[in-house]
Amino acid sequence: MTDFRERAAAAYDAETFRREGHRLVDMLASYLAGTARGEGPVLPWAAPAVNVDRFAAAFPEEPHGEFSDLIARVLSGSNHLHHPRYVGHQVSAPVPLAALCDAVSSLLNNGMAVYEMGPVSTAMERNVLRWMAARLGLPEGTDGVLTSGGSLGNLTALLAARQAKAGYDAWNQGAHAGPPLTVLVAKTAHYCVSRATRIMGWGEGGVTPVAVDEQFRLRPESLDAAFKTATLAGRKVIAVVASAGSTATGAFDPLEPVADFCEKHGLWFHVDGAHGASAVLSPPHRHLVRGIDRADSVVWDAHKGLMMPALVTAVLFRDGARSFEAFAQEASYLFHGDDELPWSDVGLRTMECTKEMMALKVYACLAVLGTRLFSDSVTESYEQAKRFAKRLTAAGDFEVAVTPDCNILCFRHTPSHVPPEEWDALQARLRERLVTRGDFYLVQTKLPKGMYLRVTLINPLTTDADLDALMEALRAAARR
C-alpha cells in the first residue's frame, strides 16, 4: 500500500484490532496461569547489552512481522512479578482486571488537563480520592489529585507546603525571595524527599535530618534539636515529613507526637505513606498510622498496597484549597475564569498536563472486586512478614534486622562456617546467585550493622512454603 489513507485505515482497522486483541488476551492469560504456578525463572537474567541487542531498533519501513511474536519475546524476557517467588521491590503483582483497564485507558487516551478532555476519569478520580480520604479519617474538605508516583507526589505536597508556610510567594518570586527553607525528615526517609527540596532550589540544607531509634523510626524527642540546628544554620523550618512504611525497613514513624510538634510550631505536617498508608484498610494494623488524620498532606501509592499497576499515587490535602497552591500558574488556552479555580480541571494541580486515566483501574477494581479483597491483602501480607521473621529467628542461621511493622523484612544469612566480617560480602553473593539463576527475585539494603537481604511480600500468590524454599536456597548457595 502506498496511499497514506489506506495505510492509516489498515492501522486503525477494528477487525484487525479484535483479532490481535483476542490473541493477546489468550497469551496473557496463559502467561499469568503459568507464572502464578511458579513456572520458569522469576527473572530470566540477561546483561543490559544483551537485551539491547535482542531488541535492536531495526524498524522496517513497511508492515513486517507478527505482533504476537514480539509480545511473546517481551513476556519471556521480563521480570515476572506474578511469580510467587518475586519478593523484591515495592511494586505489586497487579490484579489482571486493572491491566484490562489500562488497555481501555490507552485506547480512549482521555488526557485530564481539563474536564472536557477526561470527563469520566475526572469524576472517577474525585470519588476514588474521597474514598481514600475517608479511609484515612481526613475531613470532608479534603481534596487532592492522582499523579505519577510517590516521588512526584511528595514533590507536589512539598510545593504546596512551601506556598503555605514560606511566608513569601516562592512560586512567583522565586526560591530566594525570602529566607532559605528546610524540612525536618528522619534519616531513613526515602531519597525522593531530598530530591524534591533540591528541585525546589533549597540545596543540601533543604533537608534537616532527624535521629531515628533502633527500629529506624523517627525520634519525636529529637525534633526540637533538629529544629534548633536548622534555625542556627539560618534556615526557616516549614514542615516535618514523617514516613508511614519507610522504603528501607518498612518502619512507621510515630505520627501523633509529630503532629503535636507541628501544631506547636505552626509547621506543615506531611506523611509519606506511599507504602504504608494502606495499613488503614487492615483492622489489625491500622494503629500503625494512628495520627495520619491530622496530616496536612498525605501521599499514598495504589501501585503498592492496592495491587494496581504502576503508577498511581494519591496526593491528599486536608485543606482542599491547598491543592491548588502546588502549581499556581495560568494557561489561558486551557483554564478559563479568574474568580474560582475549578476542581474539575485537574491540570491546575498536577505536574502532568496530559495524564492517563489513572482512576479508572482503581475505581473499576474497587467497584467490581469489592474493598474486602484489598483490606485482606494488606492484612495477610503484613502477617506473612511476621510469620517469616519468626521462622528466620528460630532457624539459628539467620538474623532479622528488626521485627517487621509491615510486609517489608530485612534479614541476613549467618552460617557458622562464615566469619562475621564476611557476612556483608556473603549477602551480596547470595542475592546475585539467586537472582541471576532466576530462583527468586529479592533485593538488598545497607543498614548500620551492615548488608542485609530485603524482601517485600507484596504478591498475594507468595506462600509460606515459597519463603521456606527461599531459606533453603540461600543455605544451598552459601555452601557452594
Side-chain angles (χ1 to χ4, degrees):
M1 291 182 291
T2 57
D3 180 78
F4 167 71
R5 295 295 177 187
E6 292 180 2
R7 285 181 279 120
Y12 284 82
D13 181 64
E15 289 308 312
T16 300
F17 175 71
R18 188 193 311 278
R19 182 178 65 253
E20 295 292 354
H22 286 172
R23 188 182 301 176
L24 175 63
V25 170
D26 286 342
M27 288 178 65
L28 291 176
S30 296
Y31 162 81
L32 180 64
T35 304
R37 288 194 297 266
E39 297 175 0
V42 183
L43 171 64
W45 173 256
V50 172
N51 267 330
V52 169
D53 289 341
R54 286 176 178 171
F55 291 90
F59 301 128
E61 186 171 318
E62 299 294 337
H64 177 78
E66 290 286 337
F67 173 66
S68 58
D69 292 341
L70 173 59
I71 297 303
R73 292 169 57 209
V74 171
L75 292 176
S76 65
S78 294
N79 199 334
H80 306 311
L81 276 62
H82 290 88
H83 196 295
R85 295 187 176 181
Y86 173 90
V87 290
H89 291 288
Q90 299 155 272
V91 184
S92 72
V95 287
L97 184 63
L100 297 180
C101 292
D102 269 343
V104 175
S105 173
S106 293
L107 187 65
L108 289 175
N109 204 27
N110 275 205
M112 296 178 60
V114 292
Y115 171 74
E116 61 198 48
M117 280 300 295
V120 171
S121 49
T122 299
M124 285 183 167
E125 179 166 319
R126 182 94 165 153
N127 284 307
V128 164
L129 290 166
R130 283 174 169 171
W131 178 82
M132 297 174 90
R135 303 289 80 71
L136 293 169
L138 292 167
E140 287 188 9
T142 298
D143 201 354
V145 293
L146 295 180
T147 192
S148 305
S151 295
L152 196 52
N154 282 310
L155 173 61
T156 301
L158 290 176
L159 283 167
R162 181 183 68 174
Q163 202 70 354
K165 297 293 185 179
Y168 56 92
D169 185 358
W171 182 266
N172 290 302
Q173 298 172 5
H176 305 294
L181 307 175
T182 192
V183 294
L184 308 184
V185 183
K187 291 180 178 179
T188 52
H190 193 271
Y191 67 87
C192 73
V193 177
S194 176
R195 177 180 287 182
T197 60
R198 288 173 184 264
I199 289 171
M200 291 189 287
W202 300 1
E204 184 179 4
V207 162
T208 300
V210 182
V212 297
D213 62 19
E214 65 280 357
Q215 302 292 312
F216 304 103
R217 300 165 183 152
L218 179 148
R219 290 182 180 272
E221 63 271 21
S222 297
L223 286 168
D224 269 318
F227 187 93
K228 291 173 183 175
T229 297
T231 303
L232 289 172
R235 294 271 176 172
K236 179 178 181 179
V237 180
I238 66 165
V240 179
V241 178
S243 295
S246 67
T247 297
T249 64
F252 285 73
D253 293 338
L255 304 183
E256 288 276 17
V258 176
D260 291 340
F261 181 85
C262 289
E263 187 175 313
K264 176 182 176 182
H265 293 274
L267 304 177
W268 185 280
F269 177 28
H270 174 63
V271 177
D272 178 3
H275 184 82
S278 296
V280 297
L281 302 179
S282 170
H285 301 102
R286 62 170 59 119
H287 66 277
L288 293 168
V289 290
R290 185 177 296 119
I292 201 168
D293 57 309
R294 297 174 62 187
D296 293 294
S297 55
V298 178
V299 161
W300 181 356
D301 284 358
H303 57 273
K304 291 186 171 70
L306 294 182
M307 299 186 285
M308 292 294 109
L311 292 164
V312 190
T313 294
V315 190
L316 293 157
F317 295 92
R318 173 183 210 47
D319 178 355
R322 296 293 188 189
S323 66
F324 290 92
E325 297 183 354
F327 308 102
Q329 64 185 50
E330 297 180 3
S332 60
Y333 68 93
L334 286 176
F335 313 119
H336 312 289
D338 299 323
D339 297 330
E340 184 176 344
L341 294 171
W343 64 264
S344 54
D345 289 343
V346 181
L348 286 165
R349 298 179 288 158
T350 59
M351 180 71 79
E352 306 98 332
C353 182
T354 302
K355 184 178 78 173
E356 70 160 340
M357 301 168 67
M358 292 180 184
L360 172 61
K361 47 197 165 192
V362 184
Y363 185 98
C365 290
L366 290 172
V368 175
L369 301 176
T371 61
R372 182 177 175 181
L373 172 68
F374 301 93
S375 62
D376 286 354
S377 176
V378 174
T379 299
E380 171 55 21
S381 66
Y382 285 27
E383 292 300 318
Q384 187 177 51
K386 293 180 187 299
R387 294 194 301 269
F388 187 36
K390 289 180 179 178
R391 292 202 300 283
L392 288 166
T393 301
D397 56 343
F398 288 89
E399 175 189 291
V400 172
V402 60
T403 301
D405 280 338
C406 60
N407 56 339
I408 296 175
L409 174 62
C410 298
F411 67 98
R412 58 185 176 182
H413 185 33
T414 57
S416 58
H417 69 276
V418 178
E421 61 269 21
E422 296 181 15
W423 285 351
D424 282 5
L426 175 64
Q427 311 314 311
R429 289 199 306 273
L430 294 178
R431 177 188 180 272
E432 182 181 14
R433 288 176 184 173
L434 267 62
V435 170
T436 55
R437 288 200 313 239
D439 298 342
F440 287 86
Y441 185 81
L442 70 166
V443 297
Q444 63 190 40
T445 189
K446 188 71 177 290
L447 299 177
K449 288 185 178 180
M451 188 69 70
Y452 283 78
L453 300 171
R454 175 180 169 277
V455 296
T456 303
L457 305 182
I458 202 167
N459 183 352
L461 305 175
T462 300
T463 66
D464 288 359
D466 291 310
L467 300 177
D468 290 339
L470 172 59
M471 295 170 64
E472 289 306 315
L474 290 168
R475 287 173 174 141
R479 289 193 292 267
R480 293 185 61 183

